[in-house]
Amino acid sequence: MVNVKQNVSLKDYSTMRLGGNANYLIEVGSRQDLEESAQLAQKNNLPIIMIGAGSNVIWKDEGFAGIVLINKILGFRAFEEDETNVFVTVGAGENWDSVVAKTVQMNLTGIESLSLIPGSTGATVVQNVGAYGQEISQTLINVEVFDLQDFKFKIIPVSNCQLAYRSSIFKTNPKNPYLISAITLNLSKSSPDKTKIYPAVTDYLNQNNISEVTPENIRRAVIDIRSSKLPDPAVIPNNGSFFTNPTISYSQFFSLQKSLNQAIPHWKIDTENVKVAAAWLIEYSGLKDFHDQNTGFATWKTQPLVIINESGTSTANLIKFRDFIVDTVYKKTGIRLTQEPQILP
Ligand SMILES: Cc1cc2nc3c(=O)[nH]c(=O)nc-3n(C[C@H](O)[C@H](O)[C@H](O)COP(=O)(O)OP(=O)(O)OC[C@H]3O[C@@H](n4cnc5c(N)ncnc54)[C@H](O)[C@@H]3O)c2cc1C
């Protein structure tokens, strides 16, 4: 029997520490719990939202008149090894960074650059997490889900997940019926490809006289770089990057560089489009380390993409602060930023 808590504050289930109450909350520790919770919701005609650690969600002030499911399904199984590949199936509720640590200890390559990303394993596919040149899409094989349409567990192959930059079928479909219970990754026994190491990681390895490119050395580099740049959500409430890097056409990009008379950091996507650094746009607009006493929110001193909650007490005020940033950047650069974390429900 699942343990149903009533009238629970959702502030404790978002690293931004905002939001009203959930009518009901259940910690789901097994596939059986998941099925039982779904049946309970159906029987009582209640909506469901499943989350992991709440590091990419912000709850509305009015809370949620339904059942919040916290995924705590554990498990780590390595199988079907051959000379170069190891497949691992991981429970959606496993802490992601512990999974990365474990695979790095096994000297496996594939997710070492995704070290220290907060949250659960299941959520990594929801927005196709990425950092320092790696994305979960590069190693994901499939996702095990419980389908709320027919109450069956299913395996969705990566080709059907529509993974894209900070996006997937699990994020874009407003009627997403899938509760993720596990994911399977294909990791490699080969060393990381030196030509694909992210420039900041290469700089770190050079500065620290580390010549061997191993998953462990990359993990250590990424942890050090991230720790020096990003606030720890356990200490300072935040959701990591609050905005995605906008994609614009090369012609828009060149005319913007010309009109601002600035070299804008960017990454080539294809022959027609580039991604520009949202952090640069915010800093250029004068909003780095910007503190707003009225709302209680600020941008982080070393990474302006991160909004921190200094003394904010409502999601309505966070939205005001967000809109101020979006409007200011738009007035200064003509580019409208898009929010990364999800506001629920
Ligand atoms: C300091 C900081 C740094 C960050 N850095 C990065 C980064 O470098 N790259 C990056 O991509 N992200 C980053 N993030 C964002 C965040 O850590 C990731 O998106 C992470 O995968 C979210 O995991 P979570 O368990 O906290 O998900 P939650 O916030 O709990 O949920 C996120 C979304 O996924 C859905 N969801 C979660 N679990 C399930 C499930 N089992 N089944 C169905 N739906 C589910 C939720 O409904 C919600 O829509 C950062 C966040 C912070 C606070």
Side-chain angles (χ1 to χ4, degrees):
M1 272 277 278
V2 289
N3 178 16
V4 185
K5 294 179 189 159
Q6 287 191 42
N7 214 18
V8 180
S9 170
L10 287 168
K11 284 190 180 72
D12 298 334
Y13 295 91
S14 159
T15 55
M16 196 57 103
R17 300 197 60 78
L18 296 171
N21 287 2
N23 284 10
Y24 305 98
L25 183 140
I26 302 173
E27 289 194 2
V28 173
S30 64
R31 286 168 180 77
Q32 198 186 328
D33 282 0
L34 208 165
E35 206 166 343
E36 213 180 292
S37 305
Q39 277 158 2
L40 201 74
Q42 191 190 45
K43 197 169 135 205
N44 295 286
N45 203 18
L46 288 166
I48 285 182
I49 295 177
M50 173 163 271
I51 65 158
S55 62
N56 215 25
V57 299
I58 299 152
W59 296 101
K60 288 186 181 166
D61 294 320
E62 60 265 34
F64 179 51
I67 309 180
V68 173
L69 301 181
I70 312 295
N71 195 308
K72 298 269 184 186
I73 299 176
L74 304 180
F76 181 100
R77 190 170 66 91
F79 64 105
E80 265 188 39
E81 248 181 86
D82 65 19
E83 260 167 41
T84 43
N85 301 292
V86 176
F87 292 85
V88 293
T89 294
V90 187
E94 287 280 356
N95 173 269
W96 174 249
D97 191 51
S98 307
V99 172
V100 178
K102 204 178 248 181
T103 63
V104 165
Q105 258 169 27
M106 293 163 78
N107 206 22
L108 297 175
T109 297
I111 52 175
E112 61 285 350
S113 299
L114 304 177
S115 289
L116 218 62
I117 295 181
S120 63
T121 295
T124 59
V125 298
V126 175
Q127 73 152 0
N128 182 22
V129 296
Y132 296 93
Q134 274 179 355
E135 271 184 354
I136 199 73
S137 61
Q138 294 160 353
T139 44
L140 187 72
I141 295 290
N142 63 48
V143 181
E144 184 195 80
V145 298
F146 182 75
D147 188 340
L148 291 168
Q149 295 165 122
D150 57 11
F151 278 52
K152 287 202 170 94
F153 282 96
K154 292 178 183 165
I155 302 286
I156 306 184
V158 61
S159 52
N160 292 349
C161 292
Q162 294 174 16
L163 295 178
Y165 171 61
R166 296 300 172 274
S167 177
S168 75
I169 191 177
F170 309 106
K171 188 168 177 179
T172 50
N173 178 358
K175 290 193 178 139
N176 169 36
Y178 301 129
L179 306 178
I180 299 164
S181 47
I183 69 171
T184 297
L185 304 173
N186 182 357
L187 303 178
S188 166
K189 292 183 194 172
S190 312
S191 299
D193 182 348
K194 279 189 186 161
T195 62
K196 291 199 176 138
I197 309 288
Y198 205 70
V201 175
T202 305
D203 290 348
Y204 176 97
L205 296 177
N206 291 338
Q207 279 156 18
N208 290 279
N209 296 319
I210 301 168
S211 53
E212 237 190 321
V213 177
T214 62
E216 194 185 343
N217 286 341
I218 292 180
R219 172 168 167 81
R220 198 172 309 149
V222 168
I223 288 177
D224 271 7
I225 298 167
R226 290 183 71 101
S227 307
S228 69
K229 276 202 346 202
L230 296 172
D232 177 356
V235 183
I236 299 170
N238 76 88
N239 284 119
S241 300
F242 203 86
F243 302 101
T244 54
N245 293 314
T247 297
I248 58 176
S249 68
Y250 265 107
S251 66
Q252 196 186 351
F253 174 70
F254 288 129
S255 69
L256 185 63
Q257 288 213 119
K258 202 169 164 201
S259 68
L260 301 183
N261 196 21
Q262 298 277 336
I264 305 174
H266 62 284
W267 304 267
K268 181 181 175 178
I269 294 184
D270 51 38
T271 50
E272 279 164 26
N273 298 298
V274 280
K275 208 185 279 175
V276 293
W280 186 92
L281 298 171
I282 296 171
E283 186 169 355
Y284 174 80
S285 306
L287 296 174
K288 185 179 184 176
D289 200 14
F290 170 74
H291 300 253
D292 179 28
Q293 310 299 340
N294 290 330
T295 58
F297 296 93
T299 52
W300 186 239
K301 54 193 171 199
T302 50
Q303 174 46 287
L305 257 188
V306 177
I307 292 181
I308 58 165
N309 179 359
E310 293 191 300
S311 58
T313 50
S314 75
T315 300
N317 275 341
L318 173 63
I319 290 169
K320 264 190 213 157
F321 184 75
R322 173 203 69 189
D323 289 349
F324 175 74
I325 293 179
V326 171
D327 290 348
T328 307
V329 170
Y330 184 68
K331 276 181 204 139
K332 296 264 182 183
T333 68
I335 295 182
R336 201 165 275 288
L337 295 176
T338 305
Q339 182 178 315
E340 183 186 302
Q342 285 175 275
I343 295 185
L344 297 176

